[in-house]
Amino acid sequence: MDNSQIERIGVHKTGLFFIEEFDWIEREQPTSDYGIDMHIEIKENGKATGVLIALQIKSGDSYCKENKSKSIFTYRKGKLRHLEYWKNHSLPVVFIWYRPSNKSLYWQSVSSESENINVNDKGWTLKIPSEQILNNSSKEEILNKCFNINNYQVIEEQNRSINIATRYTLKVIITETNQYIIKRIIKNIYDRYIHLYGDINTLSIFFYRNIDAQMCFCRTQWNNKKYKYKLETITQNDKIDDIGIEWSKDSDYVNRYFSENSNLISKDNYIKKFDKSINLCNRFIEATVNKKIDELEIIIFDFTQDIQEEFNLIADDNYQFSRDVEQLKNIRMSAIGLLQNILIIFQDRSR
């Protein structure tokens, strides 16, 4: 069998494995000089997540050499330009080696921090443990090596225990933008802190986009099954094992990245409009007190534009408002109506 046939066998076996064993989606890539041979899209509960992994596939016994203890294979034919390309790739890259002699697939993650990569003047080598054969148990290990589940920051911990009911609350920042990966991070945080706190009743976590965010984009809660009385303070619309999740419908972050209704006006977004109006009102009052007519005209123009944007948004049937935003909108529109009457007076210089 010639090399080209062996290469095709390796590619087909790899794609078939990810389809049959992991129920993931494989997309073979056109042949390129840098060798990203396939993209794999992860599925969760039968649905595509939009999370991709890039594969470099090599087929043939000669590509890797076994050490004396037969515990490590070493890939020795790497070119530096290929390694730099993979390290800077927007997707995590996994190296797959098909070994025809035992018809097995071996795998290894390729990253800038990898302790399994050795670089020298001639090129680079990659170490692959002999037990790292692609099989059913490889899924979690591949995911953990490809995606950083420690990519979060705990900004606040609170003990909210009442008598013998031990309850803890965390505030956490997550900058990741993919819901699937965020859920993996959430699971990792719970695994860590439930173990850290010991025998507790409840652990509630609030997730924010950044330290200045006005509201959380996600709330989660775990109740210990050992205890009869449970704390239920969230409206659960998702779940990971025993962890209840509430993705906030009023979060601009959720609506931008996760919501099927991208035209939903969020509370975060609407508050920004409030801030703009308040600033204009403060400027209006200051200019009125100081009788700065020229500045009043500028403020009137800005405020008129702001009001027009508001009316355009309300009149647009393509947009929808969450319940909290509806309440804010009604209050704001009443205030705008009052200010419009004041503006009419000041626009008449004869008065």
Side-chain angles (χ1 to χ4, degrees):
M1 190 178 296
D2 61 34
N3 290 337
S4 63
Q5 288 177 298
I6 293 174
E7 285 178 8
R8 295 309 302 161
I9 291 172
V11 170
H12 287 307
K13 278 186 172 290
T14 300
L16 192 62
F17 173 86
F18 281 102
I19 294 172
E20 289 187 333
E21 302 301 327
F22 289 2
D23 188 30
W24 290 355
I25 301 166
E26 64 86 22
R27 299 186 183 97
E28 187 177 352
Q29 300 301 296
T31 303
S32 69
D33 191 35
Y34 287 94
I36 295 297
D37 299 301
M38 187 176 293
H39 286 164
I40 298 294
E41 181 172 0
I42 297 166
K43 289 170 66 180
E44 182 185 31
N45 300 323
K47 294 183 179 180
T49 62
V51 179
L52 302 177
I53 297 173
L55 303 184
Q56 156 68 66
I57 304 168
K58 293 294 184 183
S59 304
D61 289 338
S62 63
Y63 276 104
C64 296
K65 184 177 179 180
E66 195 172 22
N67 67 356
K68 291 182 180 179
S69 65
K70 297 185 178 183
S71 60
I72 296 288
F73 291 107
T74 304
Y75 171 70
R76 298 179 178 275
K77 299 184 180 182
K79 296 180 180 180
L80 285 174
R81 62 191 178 99
H82 290 175
L83 179 61
E84 287 303 312
Y85 176 75
W86 294 332
K87 282 163 60 177
N88 293 301
H89 203 287
S90 60
L91 302 177
V93 178
V94 172
F95 181 88
I96 303 289
W97 173 46
Y98 171 59
R99 190 185 186 194
S101 58
N102 64 357
K103 298 183 179 181
S104 294
L105 294 166
Y106 297 81
W107 70 275
Q108 184 59 281
S109 172
V110 180
S111 68
S112 56
E113 300 83 18
S114 178
E115 60 184 14
N116 299 299
I117 295 175
N118 182 43
V119 180
N120 53 48
D121 295 336
K122 296 181 180 180
W124 60 280
T125 60
L126 178 68
K127 293 181 180 179
I128 308 173
S130 57
E131 74 271 11
Q132 206 155 286
I133 295 175
L134 203 57
N135 54 39
N136 286 331
S137 61
S138 305
K139 182 186 287 188
E140 285 301 311
E141 196 173 354
I142 289 173
L143 289 171
N144 289 339
K145 283 195 174 185
C146 287
F147 305 105
N148 182 11
I149 58 175
N150 294 305
N151 188 21
Y152 63 88
Q153 179 186 358
V154 178
I155 57 173
E156 186 178 304
E157 294 183 44
Q158 289 187 343
N159 185 341
R160 295 182 176 274
S161 300
I162 302 173
N163 296 325
I164 62 171
T166 51
R167 297 168 179 170
Y168 285 86
T169 299
L170 302 180
K171 289 186 177 180
V172 178
I173 293 173
I174 296 181
T175 56
E176 176 58 56
T177 58
N178 183 277
Q179 194 173 35
Y180 173 78
I181 299 174
I182 289 174
K183 288 172 73 173
R184 292 188 64 81
I185 295 173
I186 289 173
K187 179 66 166 61
N188 181 48
I189 296 171
Y190 270 92
D191 287 345
R192 177 184 174 187
Y193 276 87
I194 289 172
H195 176 75
L196 182 67
Y197 290 142
D199 190 20
I200 63 172
N201 293 75
T202 303
L203 176 58
S204 302
I205 307 181
F206 299 81
F207 294 92
Y208 295 81
R209 182 76 172 104
N210 55 60
I211 201 164
D212 297 320
Q214 295 181 348
M215 62 183 299
C216 63
F217 69 85
C218 175
R219 299 187 297 174
T220 60
Q221 194 165 79
W222 171 85
N223 286 296
N224 195 330
K225 288 183 176 179
K226 288 169 54 178
Y227 299 98
K228 180 180 178 181
Y229 298 104
K230 294 177 173 56
L231 188 66
E232 295 183 356
T233 60
I234 67 171
T235 304
Q236 183 175 307
N237 52 31
D238 202 351
K239 192 177 182 182
I240 312 171
D241 297 337
D242 296 327
I243 305 165
I245 301 175
E246 179 183 356
W247 301 103
S248 173
K249 293 180 181 179
D250 286 323
S251 168
D252 184 50
Y253 180 64
V254 171
N255 288 315
R256 186 185 307 123
Y257 292 109
F258 312 145
S259 178
E260 294 179 1
N261 181 10
S262 59
N263 290 329
L264 184 73
I265 305 300
S266 70
K267 190 175 181 180
D268 271 356
N269 215 9
Y270 201 78
I271 285 173
K272 291 174 184 175
K273 289 185 174 292
F274 257 115
D275 290 341
K276 183 180 177 182
S277 295
I278 290 169
N279 180 51
L280 285 167
C281 285
N282 289 335
R283 285 171 55 198
F284 185 91
I285 293 167
E286 184 182 351
T288 304
V289 170
N290 297 316
K291 298 181 181 179
K292 296 179 179 178
I293 303 300
D294 291 339
E295 189 173 339
L296 273 173
E297 287 185 332
I298 296 172
I299 296 169
I300 288 166
F301 176 80
D302 289 344
F303 207 64
T304 304
Q305 291 291 106
D306 188 47
I307 291 168
Q308 189 58 51
E309 287 179 17
E310 180 80 10
F311 280 120
N312 289 343
L313 194 64
I314 293 169
D316 191 341
D317 292 334
N318 292 323
Y319 288 93
Q320 298 179 34
F321 297 89
S322 64
R323 184 176 59 185
D324 287 350
V325 173
E326 279 286 351
Q327 295 171 351
L328 291 174
K329 177 173 67 69
N330 292 337
I331 295 169
R332 184 165 183 264
M333 290 308 296
S334 297
I336 285 174
L338 180 62
L339 287 170
Q340 273 187 308
N341 293 330
I342 298 172
L343 289 177
I344 291 170
I345 297 172
F346 276 93
Q347 280 176 315
D348 185 354
R349 282 178 175 268
S350 65
R351 297 195 184 189

Coordinates of all heavy atoms in Angstrom, one line a residue, residues 299-345:
I299 N -27.7 72.0 23.6 CA -28.3 70.9 24.4 C -29.7 70.5 23.8 O -30.0 69.3 23.8 CB -28.4 71.3 25.8 CG1 -27.0 71.6 26.4 CG2 -29.2 70.3 26.7 CD1 -27.1 72.3 27.8
I300 N -30.4 71.5 23.4 CA -31.8 71.3 22.8 C -31.7 70.4 21.6 O -32.4 69.4 21.4 CB -32.5 72.6 22.5 CG1 -32.9 73.3 23.8 CG2 -33.7 72.4 21.6 CD1 -33.3 74.8 23.6
F301 N -30.7 70.7 20.8 CA -30.5 69.9 19.6 C -30.1 68.4 19.9 O -30.7 67.5 19.4 CB -29.4 70.5 18.7 CG -29.0 69.7 17.5 CD1 -29.8 69.7 16.3 CD2 -27.9 68.8 17.5 CE1 -29.5 69.0 15.2 CE2 -27.6 68.1 16.4 CZ -28.4 68.1 15.2
D302 N -29.2 68.3 20.9 CA -28.8 66.9 21.3 C -29.9 66.1 21.9 O -30.1 65.0 21.6 CB -27.6 67.0 22.3 CG -26.3 67.5 21.7 OD1 -26.2 67.4 20.5 OD2 -25.4 67.9 22.5
F303 N -30.7 66.8 22.7 CA -31.8 66.2 23.4 C -32.9 65.8 22.4 O -33.6 64.8 22.5 CB -32.4 67.1 24.5 CG -33.0 66.4 25.6 CD1 -32.2 65.5 26.4 CD2 -34.3 66.5 25.9 CE1 -32.8 64.8 27.4 CE2 -34.9 65.8 27.0 CZ -34.2 64.9 27.7
T304 N -33.1 66.7 21.4 CA -34.1 66.4 20.4 C -33.8 65.2 19.6 O -34.6 64.3 19.3 CB -34.3 67.6 19.4 OG1 -34.6 68.8 20.2 CG2 -35.4 67.3 18.4
Q305 N -32.5 65.0 19.3 CA -32.0 63.9 18.6 C -32.2 62.6 19.5 O -32.6 61.6 19.0 CB -30.5 64.0 18.3 CG -30.1 65.1 17.3 CD -30.6 64.7 15.9 OE1 -31.6 65.2 15.4 NE2 -30.0 63.7 15.3
D306 N -31.9 62.7 20.8 CA -32.0 61.6 21.7 C -33.5 61.2 21.8 O -33.8 60.0 21.7 CB -31.5 62.0 23.1 CG -31.5 60.8 24.0 OD1 -31.0 59.8 23.6 OD2 -31.9 61.0 25.2
I307 N -34.4 62.1 21.8 CA -35.8 61.8 21.9 C -36.3 61.1 20.6 O -37.1 60.2 20.6 CB -36.6 63.1 22.1 CG1 -36.4 63.7 23.5 CG2 -38.1 62.9 21.9 CD1 -36.9 65.1 23.8
Q308 N -35.8 61.6 19.5 CA -36.2 61.1 18.2 C -35.7 59.6 18.1 O -36.4 58.7 17.6 CB -35.6 61.9 17.0 CG -36.1 61.5 15.7 CD -37.6 61.6 15.6 OE1 -38.2 62.6 15.9 NE2 -38.3 60.5 15.2
E309 N -34.5 59.3 18.6 CA -34.0 57.9 18.6 C -34.9 57.0 19.4 O -35.2 55.9 19.1 CB -32.6 57.9 19.2 CG -31.5 58.4 18.3 CD -30.2 58.4 19.0 OE1 -30.0 57.7 20.0 OE2 -29.2 59.1 18.5
E310 N -35.4 57.6 20.5 CA -36.3 56.8 21.4 C -37.6 56.5 20.7 O -38.1 55.4 20.7 CB -36.6 57.7 22.7 CG -37.5 57.0 23.7 CD -36.8 56.0 24.5 OE1 -35.5 55.9 24.5 OE2 -37.5 55.2 25.2
F311 N -38.2 57.5 20.1 CA -39.5 57.3 19.4 C -39.3 56.3 18.2 O -40.2 55.5 18.0 CB -40.1 58.6 18.9 CG -40.8 59.4 19.9 CD1 -40.3 60.7 20.3 CD2 -41.8 58.9 20.6 CE1 -41.0 61.4 21.3 CE2 -42.5 59.6 21.6 CZ -42.1 60.9 21.9
N312 N -38.2 56.4 17.5 CA -37.9 55.5 16.4 C -37.8 54.1 16.9 O -38.3 53.1 16.3 CB -36.6 55.9 15.7 CG -36.8 57.2 14.9 OD1 -37.9 57.6 14.6 ND2 -35.6 57.8 14.5
L313 N -37.2 53.9 18.1 CA -37.0 52.6 18.6 C -38.3 52.0 19.0 O -38.6 50.8 18.8 CB -36.0 52.6 19.8 CG -35.5 51.3 20.4 CD1 -34.6 50.7 19.3 CD2 -34.7 51.6 21.6
I314 N -39.1 52.8 19.7 CA -40.4 52.3 20.2 C -41.4 52.0 19.0 O -42.1 51.0 19.0 CB -41.1 53.4 21.1 CG1 -40.3 53.5 22.4 CG2 -42.6 53.0 21.4 CD1 -40.7 54.7 23.2
A315 N -41.3 52.7 17.9 CA -42.1 52.5 16.8 C -41.7 51.4 15.9 O -42.5 50.9 15.0 CB -42.2 53.8 15.9
D316 N -40.5 50.9 16.1 CA -39.9 49.8 15.3 C -40.5 48.5 15.8 O -40.1 48.0 16.8 CB -38.4 49.8 15.3 CG -37.8 48.9 14.2 OD1 -38.5 48.0 13.7 OD2 -36.6 49.1 13.9
D317 N -41.3 47.8 15.0 CA -41.9 46.5 15.4 C -40.9 45.4 15.5 O -41.2 44.3 16.0 CB -43.0 46.1 14.4 CG -44.2 47.1 14.5 OD1 -44.4 47.7 15.6 OD2 -44.9 47.2 13.5
N318 N -39.7 45.6 14.9 CA -38.7 44.6 14.9 C -38.0 44.4 16.2 O -37.4 43.4 16.5 CB -37.6 44.9 13.8 CG -38.1 44.8 12.4 OD1 -38.9 43.9 12.1 ND2 -37.6 45.7 11.6
Y319 N -38.2 45.4 17.1 CA -37.6 45.3 18.4 C -38.6 45.0 19.5 O -39.7 45.3 19.4 CB -36.9 46.7 18.8 CG -35.6 46.9 18.0 CD1 -35.7 47.6 16.8 CD2 -34.4 46.4 18.4 CE1 -34.5 47.8 16.0 CE2 -33.3 46.6 17.7 CZ -33.3 47.3 16.5 OH -32.2 47.5 15.7
Q320 N -38.1 44.3 20.5 CA -38.9 43.9 21.7 C -38.2 44.3 22.9 O -37.0 44.5 23.0 CB -39.1 42.4 21.7 CG -39.8 41.8 20.5 CD -39.9 40.3 20.5 OE1 -40.1 39.8 21.6 NE2 -39.8 39.7 19.4
F321 N -39.0 44.5 24.0 CA -38.5 45.0 25.3 C -38.8 43.9 26.3 O -39.8 43.4 26.4 CB -39.1 46.3 25.7 CG -38.8 47.5 24.7 CD1 -39.7 47.7 23.7 CD2 -37.7 48.3 24.9 CE1 -39.4 48.8 22.8 CE2 -37.5 49.3 24.1 CZ -38.3 49.6 23.0
S322 N -37.8 43.7 27.2 CA -38.0 42.8 28.3 C -38.9 43.5 29.3 O -39.2 44.7 29.2 CB -36.7 42.5 29.0 OG -36.1 43.6 29.5
R323 N -39.4 42.8 30.3 CA -40.4 43.3 31.2 C -39.8 44.5 32.0 O -40.5 45.5 32.2 CB -40.9 42.2 32.2 CG -42.0 42.6 33.2 CD -42.4 41.5 34.0 NE -41.3 40.9 34.7 CZ -41.3 39.8 35.5 NH1 -42.5 39.1 35.6 NH2 -40.3 39.4 36.2
D324 N -38.6 44.3 32.5 CA -38.0 45.4 33.3 C -37.8 46.7 32.5 O -38.0 47.8 32.9 CB -36.6 45.0 33.9 CG -36.8 44.0 35.0 OD1 -38.0 43.8 35.5 OD2 -35.8 43.4 35.4
V325 N -37.4 46.5 31.2 CA -37.2 47.6 30.3 C -38.5 48.3 30.0 O -38.5 49.5 29.9 CB -36.5 47.1 29.0 CG1 -36.4 48.3 28.0 CG2 -35.1 46.6 29.3
E326 N -39.6 47.6 29.9 CA -40.9 48.2 29.6 C -41.2 49.2 30.7 O -41.7 50.3 30.5 CB -42.0 47.1 29.6 CG -42.1 46.4 28.2 CD -42.7 47.3 27.2 OE1 -43.3 48.4 27.5 OE2 -42.7 46.9 26.0
Q327 N -40.9 48.8 32.0 CA -41.2 49.7 33.1 C -40.3 51.0 33.1 O -40.8 52.1 33.2 CB -41.0 49.0 34.4 CG -42.0 47.8 34.6 CD -41.6 47.0 35.8 OE1 -40.6 47.1 36.4 NE2 -42.5 46.1 36.2
L328 N -39.0 50.8 32.8 CA -38.1 51.9 32.7 C -38.5 52.8 31.5 O -38.4 54.0 31.6 CB -36.7 51.4 32.5 CG -36.0 50.7 33.6 CD1 -34.7 50.1 33.2 CD2 -35.9 51.6 34.8
K329 N -38.9 52.2 30.4 CA -39.3 52.9 29.2 C -40.5 53.9 29.5 O -40.5 55.0 29.1 CB -39.6 52.0 28.1 CG -40.1 52.6 26.8 CD -40.3 51.6 25.7 CE -41.4 50.7 25.9 NZ -42.7 51.3 25.8
N330 N -41.5 53.4 30.2 CA -42.7 54.2 30.5 C -42.3 55.4 31.4 O -42.8 56.5 31.2 CB -43.7 53.3 31.2 CG -44.3 52.3 30.3 OD1 -44.3 52.4 29.1 ND2 -44.8 51.2 30.8
I331 N -41.4 55.1 32.4 CA -41.0 56.2 33.2 C -40.2 57.3 32.4 O -40.5 58.5 32.5 CB -40.1 55.7 34.4 CG1 -40.9 54.8 35.3 CG2 -39.5 56.9 35.2 CD1 -40.1 54.0 36.3
R332 N -39.3 56.8 31.6 CA -38.5 57.7 30.8 C -39.3 58.5 29.8 O -39.1 59.7 29.6 CB -37.4 56.9 30.1 CG -36.4 57.8 29.3 CD -35.2 57.0 29.0 NE -34.2 57.8 28.3 CZ -34.1 57.9 27.0 NH1 -34.9 57.3 26.2 NH2 -33.2 58.7 26.5
M333 N -40.3 57.9 29.2 CA -41.1 58.6 28.2 C -41.9 59.7 28.9 O -42.2 60.7 28.3 CB -42.0 57.6 27.4 CG -41.2 56.7 26.5 SD -40.1 57.6 25.4 CE -41.3 58.5 24.4
S334 N -42.4 59.5 30.1 CA -43.2 60.5 30.8 C -42.3 61.7 31.1 O -42.7 62.9 30.9 CB -43.7 59.9 32.1 OG -44.6 58.9 31.9
A335 N -41.0 61.4 31.5 CA -40.1 62.5 31.8 C -39.7 63.3 30.5 O -39.6 64.5 30.5 CB -38.8 61.9 32.4
I336 N -39.6 62.5 29.4 CA -39.3 63.2 28.1 C -40.4 64.1 27.7 O -40.2 65.2 27.2 CB -39.0 62.1 27.0 CG1 -37.6 61.5 27.3 CG2 -39.0 62.7 25.6 CD1 -37.2 60.4 26.4
G337 N -41.6 63.7 27.9 CA -42.8 64.5 27.5 C -42.8 65.8 28.3 O -43.1 66.9 27.7
L338 N -42.4 65.8 29.6 CA -42.4 67.0 30.4 C -41.2 67.9 29.9 O -41.4 69.1 29.8 CB -42.1 66.6 31.9 CG -42.0 67.7 32.9 CD1 -43.3 68.5 33.0 CD2 -41.7 67.1 34.3
L339 N -40.1 67.3 29.6 CA -39.0 68.1 29.2 C -39.2 68.8 27.8 O -38.8 69.9 27.5 CB -37.7 67.3 29.1 CG -37.1 66.9 30.5 CD1 -36.0 65.9 30.4 CD2 -36.6 68.1 31.2
Q340 N -40.0 68.1 27.0 CA -40.3 68.6 25.7 C -41.1 69.9 25.9 O -40.9 70.9 25.1 CB -41.1 67.6 24.9 CG -40.3 66.6 24.1 CD -41.1 65.8 23.2 OE1 -42.1 65.2 23.6 NE2 -40.8 65.7 21.9
N341 N -42.0 70.0 26.8 CA -42.8 71.2 27.1 C -41.9 72.4 27.5 O -42.1 73.5 27.1 CB -43.9 70.9 28.1 CG -44.9 70.0 27.6 OD1 -45.2 69.9 26.4 ND2 -45.5 69.2 28.6
I342 N -40.9 72.0 28.3 CA -39.9 73.0 28.8 C -39.1 73.5 27.6 O -38.8 74.7 27.5 CB -39.0 72.5 29.9 CG1 -39.8 72.1 31.1 CG2 -37.9 73.5 30.3 CD1 -39.1 71.3 32.2
L343 N -38.7 72.6 26.7 CA -37.9 73.0 25.6 C -38.6 73.9 24.6 O -38.0 74.8 24.1 CB -37.5 71.7 24.8 CG -36.5 70.8 25.4 CD1 -36.3 69.5 24.6 CD2 -35.2 71.5 25.6
I344 N -39.9 73.8 24.5 CA -40.7 74.6 23.6 C -40.6 76.1 24.1 O -40.4 77.0 23.3 CB -42.2 74.2 23.6 CG1 -42.3 72.9 22.9 CG2 -43.1 75.3 22.9 CD1 -43.7 72.2 23.0
I345 N -40.6 76.3 25.4 CA -40.5 77.6 26.0 C -39.1 78.2 25.7 O -39.0 79.4 25.2 CB -40.7 77.6 27.5 CG1 -42.2 77.1 27.8 CG2 -40.5 79.0 28.1 CD1 -42.5 76.9 29.2

